[in-house]
Amino acid sequence: MVNFNGNWKLHKSENFEDFLKTIDVGLLKRQAAKMVSSEHHIVQDGDKMSVNVIATGQKGKTQEYTVGGTFSENEVTGDTAEVSTEWAGETIKEVHKSKDFTYTLIRELEDENTMVLHLESPKGTQAKRIYKGCNRNQHTFPTTILSNHENTTARHPVSNRNFHKKAGLLLNYFSVVA
């Protein structure tokens, strides 16, 4: 089974603005979308997926679902969509349906460090969002804090206790949202 675990940073988009136009995203939102950088922090446990999407200048979102099931999400258009998911070989196929449009998203690993989101509108317009892996298969923020702090534990035993208590809370938080 393919492993999507890790943090993925948007590297480039291909034909994304045209795709947004065909699903009736307005000019201002399309212009803003071109400037947005996003990251997908993915935790996968078999068929269970947790995808935390972080985008500059926008409210982030978390998608939690089991491949083969459905979930609801707010689209960039402001519409609420029902999203059905399924495995298609080594990819995850998502069909997003709202009252005004339907589009397909296919998530695949092109190689160990490249995740591609293939988008297709009902009119056949295709786009790609290409993400590069950063710190694949680990949780960047808590791991970085813990590994940096572990180098100083012998010198600061009292603050070490407080640090580990706070780090434990952070780890619990990130295990839920990442």
Side-chain angles (χ1 to χ4, degrees):
M1 176 180 286
V2 67
N3 177 2
F4 288 101
N5 278 309
N7 298 334
W8 302 91
K9 185 172 178 67
L10 181 63
H11 175 67
K12 69 179 182 174
S13 295
E14 296 175 3
N15 207 37
F16 189 54
E17 187 175 2
D18 286 341
F19 167 79
L20 293 174
K21 190 174 186 177
T22 63
I23 62 168
D24 297 324
V25 174
L27 177 64
L28 291 177
K29 284 186 179 180
R30 288 195 317 267
Q31 294 299 315
K34 288 191 321 187
M35 303 175 90
V36 170
S37 176
S38 69
E39 291 185 22
H40 288 210
H41 296 218
I42 300 175
V43 175
Q44 176 186 355
D45 183 11
D47 289 341
K48 292 183 181 181
M49 300 290 292
S50 177
V51 182
N52 187 20
V53 180
I54 302 165
T56 56
Q58 294 183 350
K59 182 180 174 185
K61 65 180 177 181
T62 300
Q63 303 168 326
E64 295 202 10
Y65 61 93
T66 300
V67 178
T70 62
F71 65 95
S72 294
E73 82 168 359
N74 291 323
E75 299 290 343
V76 69
T77 59
D79 294 318
T80 299
E82 188 72 16
V83 182
S84 61
T85 63
E86 67 181 15
W87 286 107
E90 292 290 306
T91 69
I92 298 174
K93 179 180 179 181
E94 299 178 7
V95 178
H96 296 240
K97 292 182 182 180
S98 76
K99 63 181 178 108
D100 294 326
F101 63 86
T102 299
Y103 72 89
T104 302
L105 179 151
I106 296 179
R107 183 183 305 272
E108 79 164 332
L109 287 183
E110 190 171 87
D111 60 46
E112 192 62 29
N113 289 306
T114 308
M115 178 179 71
V116 180
L117 303 183
H118 299 272
L119 303 159
E120 185 170 352
S121 76
K123 297 175 184 172
T125 303
Q126 296 181 351
K128 287 184 183 180
R129 304 276 279 171
I130 301 165
Y131 291 79
K132 293 295 183 180
C134 49
N135 299 309
R136 285 264 288 135
N137 301 312
Q138 64 182 347
H139 300 286
T140 309
F141 185 64
T143 304
T144 303
I145 288 175
L146 290 175
S147 63
N148 287 345
H149 184 72
E150 286 170 354
N151 296 332
T152 62
T153 55
R155 290 180 282 154
H156 304 294
V158 174
S159 62
N160 184 36
R161 247 180 277 128
N162 289 333
F163 171 81
H164 282 287
K165 183 176 179 183
K166 290 177 184 175
L169 291 173
L170 282 172
L171 287 171
N172 287 338
Y173 173 75
F174 279 100
S175 69
V176 171
V177 298

